[in-house]
Amino acid sequence: MTTPSAKALVPFVSVDQMMQLIHHIGLAPMMQGICDRIEADFRRWPLFDKTPRLASHSDVGVIELMPTSDGEVYGFKYVNGHPGNTRDGLQTVTAFGLLSDVANGYPVLFSEMTILTALRTAATSALAARVLAPKGSTVMAMIGNGAQSEFQSIAMQAIVGITEVRLYDVDPAATAKCAQNLQNSGLKVVSCKTAEEAILGAQIITTCTADKQYATILTDNMVGAGVHLNAIGGDCPGKTELAPAILHRADIFVEYPEQTRVEGEIQQLDADHPVTEFWEVLSGTAQGRTDAKQITLFDSVGFAIEDFSALCYVRDAIKGTEFFTPLDMLADPDDPRDLFGMVNRAQ
Amino acid sequence: MTTPSAKALVPFVSVDQMMQLIHHIGLAPMMQGICDRIEADFRRWPLFDKTPRLASHSDVGVIELMPTSDGEVYGFKYVNGHPGNTRDGLQTVTAFGLLSDVANGYPVLFSEMTILTALRTAATSALAARVLAPKGSTVMAMIGNGAQSEFQSIAMQAIVGITEVRLYDVDPAATAKCAQNLQNSGLKVVSCKTAEEAILGAQIITTCTADKQYATILTDNMVGAGVHLNAIGGDCPGKTELAPAILHRADIFVEYPEQTRVEGEIQQLDADHPVTEFWEVLSGTAQGRTDAKQITLFDSVGFAIEDFSALCYVRDAIKGTEFFTPLDMLADPDDPRDLFGMVNRAQ
């Protein structure tokens, strides 16, 4: 066996190592750290290479590549979305990602991102809610109690300061699972039998369901004045959660309009319907919430910069720890032009 | 430490394992096997999802993602191209790739592709030369004696039947390295001091240089009738190797016109200059070489389907061998909706 040099070895964070890293840092502090990193990157949004994700659709799901670069570091995520997977005991969403050095193209981090995506999605939602939700929001309705629901709840607690979460899912077993997972979180957890019951008294309504269809998780009459809607589940063509009438009453904030108009709730609206880019609110060039009675909607589909931020956080967090493995991913001949000689000598 | 289930584990082929696999199978038989797979996939070309690669350009190089799918298997490659890397002892091109199951989005193979790309590029060149070069071609000029040159030579020997390779590089050390690596190949190896000397008597002229510029490796007066040009180095915007006059005298064959018109030699021509898609020659719907005096040009930039074919070959070749490592890449909770519970229980 040939021993690869340091240049050939890419730090790899496995699923187990990501879980150990989370326990090492703590889930809430880690989501706070990722949130800070996303906020900093959103404030320098114009610097990034941006492109809608490259999606490969099939009848049963989608596989996507989400690249971006800030000119110094390049990152991408591979992610699938297959709503039928849970029937077969598989995850709806799995993901992994990579960072590399723009100066030479060499990867510098390879990481699982099934878990990390859950953290960055919750951190992004909480960042938007901290900025857009009514001041002093304390109650969140969590509609859809699947894999993302606990992360959303903990992030909203840590970053926005909510104290109560009201759970609803079409499947009571999902609600029971979420409630049990949150029992030691410090949140007041209320399991509800209907979506109407869940939104009672909530200033923040998060929808996160997985069916690939035009669903109506919220109807117009369910949404009153002065709430913040955090719509996560409408994230690919043909998959939405909100009645169009709600969209017409809301001020809509998005990550990257070119992508959201195809994938988000606003695919139900005209292509020129006004939306605000959320990064502009953070950087002060656009207004966020201006009125306590306003309905704000964060129509979130997930954007490559959020993954980039999360990967950068992990790259820094694993330094000096044992939560990664060097992976022999890159051929590294002594003479870079002598790839053939390296292969030959390996015999 | 939590033990991941089989669903979470993706077979990973490291650089060392790829080299061992090559020695296990033999370099020439492995390139022949990849060539057969590429030919079979090119014959069913219309079935594939095709898109130009997603490139992130910087002043010093490019990082690209190259996805494709045949409806059952999805594959992509990450590859960089940084001509200045060799100055720092790094590879110009490094790559890795992945296959996944379209039905559920789960990866089924993760592999180094720096070495594998060299094999598939040479196998593709040889496939094109077998079909397009003059019958009975025995001599190849190899202009550019870098990392790809020996693989090209061995593939042309195994697949086309050449018996002599004539080497030229602006750097004599590169030629010496290539000649030494080929000394036991069975090929007659002639090291040349000029490109003109190298092409003497050659029926096949392969150009594979790495400078990112409009270079003129071959001028019009150097190329006579009845040769096959295999142009590999012109593979991104602003990077070409052939004088435009040669292109006007040649019948041009390409992989995927949408990509080649941007990246290949034909970026120097009008956007409507006639070209033939090589897969059509293989499937019998277009003509290849029709005349012994004709100049045929394979303007190769590398296409995602070739990587897909090579990865499928590796996926099959490693079955039952020790040339891979199971990698804990995918989170796999017992209940797919209970990602949070899995993380919690890992403590």
Side-chain angles (χ1 to χ4, degrees), chain A residues 255-274:
Chain A
E255 290 140 318
Y256 183 56
E258 288 84 338
Q259 184 174 304
T260 313
R261 291 199 190 275
V262 177
E263 301 177 353
E265 296 298 329
I266 58 172
Q267 65 185 277
Q268 305 179 80
L269 301 180
D270 291 341
D272 61 352
H273 190 94

Side-chain angles (χ1 to χ4, degrees), chain A residues 15-16 23 49 56 78 80 82 85 90-91 100 102-106 147 171 177 181 328 333 336-338 343, chain B residues 7 15-16 23 49 56 78 80 82 85 90-91 100 102-106 147 171 177 181 328 333 336-338 343:
Chain A
V15 172
D16 185 66
H23 290 297
D49 255 4
S56 179
Y78 167 105
N80 76 295
H82 286 71
N85 270 6
L90 300 174
Q91 287 281 114
S100 58
V102 169
N104 57 32
Y106 272 50
D171 178 359
K177 177 251 348 174
N181 280 333
D328 173 27
R337 292 177 306 190
D338 197 13
V343 173
Chain B
K7 281 176 195 152
V15 171
D16 185 66
H23 291 296
D49 254 3
S56 178
Y78 167 104
N80 74 295
H82 285 72
N85 269 7
L90 301 175
Q91 287 281 114
S100 56
V102 169
N104 58 32
Y106 271 50
D171 179 359
K177 177 254 345 175
N181 279 334
D328 172 28
R337 292 176 307 190
D338 196 14
V343 173

Side-chain angles (χ1 to χ4, degrees), chain B residues 173-191:
Chain B
T175 302
K177 177 254 345 175
C178 182
Q180 188 184 352
N181 279 334
L182 293 175
Q183 64 184 355
N184 296 319
S185 64
L187 284 167
K188 178 181 175 190
V189 179
V190 182
S191 299

Side-chain angles (χ1 to χ4, degrees), chain B residues 108-137:
Chain B
V108 297
L109 175 71
F110 176 61
S111 177
E112 90 79 34
M113 287 191 79
T114 308
I115 297 170
L116 189 60
T117 295
L119 271 62
R120 77 85 160 124
T121 300
T124 304
S125 290
L127 174 63
R130 198 192 71 205
V131 173
L132 298 173
K135 290 272 165 271
S137 292

Side-chain angles (χ1 to χ4, degrees), chain B residues 41-54:
Chain B
D41 285 338
F42 272 40
R43 285 176 186 271
R44 59 191 190 113
W45 185 273
L47 270 179
F48 282 86
D49 254 3
K50 290 173 288 289
T51 175
R53 56 184 134 209
L54 196 54

Side-chain angles (χ1 to χ4, degrees), chain B residues 300-321:
Chain B
S300 178
V301 298
F303 189 59
I305 295 176
E306 296 151 22
D307 301 307
F308 177 94
S309 308
L311 286 168
C312 288
Y313 176 90
V314 169
R315 176 200 60 193
D316 296 344
I318 61 172
K319 277 179 190 156
T321 74

